[in-house]
Amino acid sequence: STALTSSWAYYGLGLTTSNVQESNARFSIRTSAVGSVWFDVVSVFPPTYKGRANGLRADLAQRVADMKPTFMRFPGGCYVEGDKLVDAFRWKNSIGPISERPGHWNLWGYWSEDGLGMLEYLTFIEDIGASPVYVTNIGISHTDYIPTASLQPWIQDALDALQFANGPASTQWGALRAKYGHPQSFNISIVALGNEDCGKFGVYNQNYEAFASAIRKQYPNILFIANCELSGVPMVDIFDYHIYSNDDWFYNNVHAFDKQDRNGAHVFVSEYAVTQGSGKGNLGAALAEAAFTTGLVINSDIVMLASYAPLFTNVYDRTWNPDAIQFNSTAVAPTPSYWVQLLFSQHTGDVVVPVQVTSPNNTLFACATLYSRTNSISL
């Protein structure tokens, strides 16, 4: 019971429940007298991963941590673009008290409160021992764009994001990060410029170069990811590769990067999954993805990064199938594809060992790696 006032005020409390999971539980707020009461930003959190304020649901976060990822690409792909630029993710609107974050409509069909914002992403990535790969909008959405000559505000926004993540506490945005409790740098060293934007509106190459030039002047050691294998565009350190197809495609393309130019940009296979004939995630899809992943490991001298996508889906709001991890309000159910990712992440060494496999109709795929510290091999 708390007295209300005529002004907006924050109210919070801790609830101790019995050790029983109830998926149909309700949280009720009641008044002791008749009247009008206004509420905004009602948020109910279970214990969070590592006890972080405004953190992640512990059981979901643990599934990610169990994979021991070396990096996390954030805050997303199409989510960064938006169907329209007005709906694009804007990092400055995702920091500070959640009651002051305006949120935005995103193209997956729901309103994002941006409670999982820039600082929450960076903190979680640090908590699981991974490195952040930041995706920034370069003035291109699914339906509109900013001409290269008018990009400066968007470029400055990206520079400000990097200062917030990497800058000393003596800088404007670094000081704000320190104020929020993290004086140390998060050390973003890789930035993806756009998402699936190659060829859109005829401006991607020019916008890419404008962003890359401005960022490299201030952060000369940051590597850039282009959305495709660009030709004639400078400062392309890595190019992004997305593939969603059927299991036959994955089996037939295990050796897709065998002949990749070793003198060119590195490869980031940032989104890949069997999405045809895979239902909500099945063993057939996982086996095809596993075969394809052996090729990524064998070519890891040029394939610098790889990640399955998407990662999560709420079973009551499926907008994509399949996803690595399914969940509802009380339970978590990883798909077979999740276990493939976990096996490779936990059993891949630091040196590729040549392996020769023979099988009828070339239906067996394998890779081998050596852990140089222990002189042991994973096959």
Side-chain angles (χ1 to χ4, degrees), residues 26-333:
R26 293 185 177 184
F27 178 68
S28 177
I29 302 175
R30 301 181 182 185
T31 62
S32 58
V34 176
S36 297
V37 181
W38 292 82
F39 296 98
D40 190 22
V41 193
V42 178
S43 183
V44 184
F45 265 74
T48 61
Y49 184 69
K50 296 203 172 182
R52 295 293 187 183
N54 199 43
L56 298 180
R57 204 174 107 180
D59 55 344
L60 301 182
Q62 189 61 54
R63 291 294 187 177
V64 179
D66 288 345
M67 290 194 290
K68 302 185 185 304
T70 58
F71 72 91
M72 179 175 288
R73 172 177 175 252
F74 82 104
C78 295
Y79 182 80
V80 171
E81 299 169 278
D83 192 47
K84 301 176 182 177
L85 284 172
V86 69
D87 299 325
F89 174 83
R90 306 308 297 269
W91 76 271
K92 289 174 184 173
N93 290 337
S94 77
I95 59 175
I98 60 172
S99 60
E100 297 175 11
R101 301 181 191 184
H104 70 285
W105 182 257
N106 83 80
L107 52 74
W108 296 113
Y110 63 91
W111 184 265
S112 174
E113 302 263 350
D114 286 332
L116 178 56
M118 186 76 165
L119 185 62
E120 288 81 15
Y121 271 114
L122 288 166
T123 301
F124 175 61
I125 293 167
E126 183 178 71
D127 281 345
I128 62 176
S131 297
V133 175
Y134 180 56
V135 185
T136 187
N137 189 303
I138 62 169
I140 302 174
S141 78
H142 282 197
T143 60
D144 57 354
Y145 69 98
I146 302 294
T148 307
S150 304
L151 273 180
Q152 187 52 41
W154 292 76
I155 292 173
Q156 188 59 52
D157 194 64
L159 292 171
D160 292 345
L162 291 172
Q163 189 182 93
F164 178 79
N166 290 7
S170 57
T171 60
Q172 177 187 354
W173 294 104
L176 187 59
R177 183 194 68 241
K179 177 184 175 182
Y180 292 152
H182 200 286
Q184 301 84 12
S185 168
F186 284 109
N187 297 315
I188 291 177
S189 61
I190 303 177
V191 174
L193 300 179
N195 171 74
E196 296 180 349
D197 290 331
C198 284
K200 285 184 181 175
F201 312 109
V203 298
Y204 179 73
N205 290 18
Q206 299 94 312
N207 284 17
Y208 177 98
E209 190 168 352
F211 267 77
S213 296
I215 293 172
R216 185 141 288 173
K217 285 179 182 178
Q218 294 192 27
Y219 300 93
N221 296 322
I222 280 183
L223 301 178
F224 299 123
I225 302 173
N227 294 171
C228 58
E229 197 169 4
L230 295 179
S231 177
V233 178
M235 295 174 286
V236 177
D237 303 300
I238 309 163
F239 75 88
D240 206 352
Y241 186 91
H242 296 182
I243 180 62
Y244 298 107
S245 190
N246 56 39
D247 55 1
D248 282 342
W249 187 96
F250 281 84
Y251 284 123
N252 293 331
N253 286 274
V254 169
H255 302 287
F257 298 106
D258 286 5
K259 296 182 180 179
Q260 185 71 31
D261 181 6
R262 264 49 183 178
N263 295 315
H266 281 79
V267 182
F268 179 17
V269 184
S270 70
E271 298 184 24
Y272 73 99
V274 174
T275 55
Q276 299 171 26
S278 52
K280 296 176 181 178
N282 60 34
L283 183 59
L287 289 173
E289 291 155 3
F292 182 71
T293 305
T294 64
L296 302 183
V297 173
I298 291 168
N299 287 288
S300 56
D301 62 316
I302 193 67
V303 180
M304 184 176 180
L305 305 160
S307 52
Y308 179 96
L311 185 58
F312 285 111
T313 187
N314 186 319
V315 297
Y316 297 119
D317 186 29
R318 290 182 182 273
T319 54
W320 185 279
N321 280 309
D323 305 83
I325 303 170
Q326 305 172 94
F327 68 94
N328 60 20
S329 60
T330 59
V332 184

Side-chain angles (χ1 to χ4, degrees), residues 360-377:
N361 302 317
N362 296 318
T363 54
L364 183 62
F365 303 90
C367 62
T369 56
L370 171 72
Y371 291 88
S372 56
R373 189 177 64 179
T374 60
N375 203 35
S376 58
I377 290 178

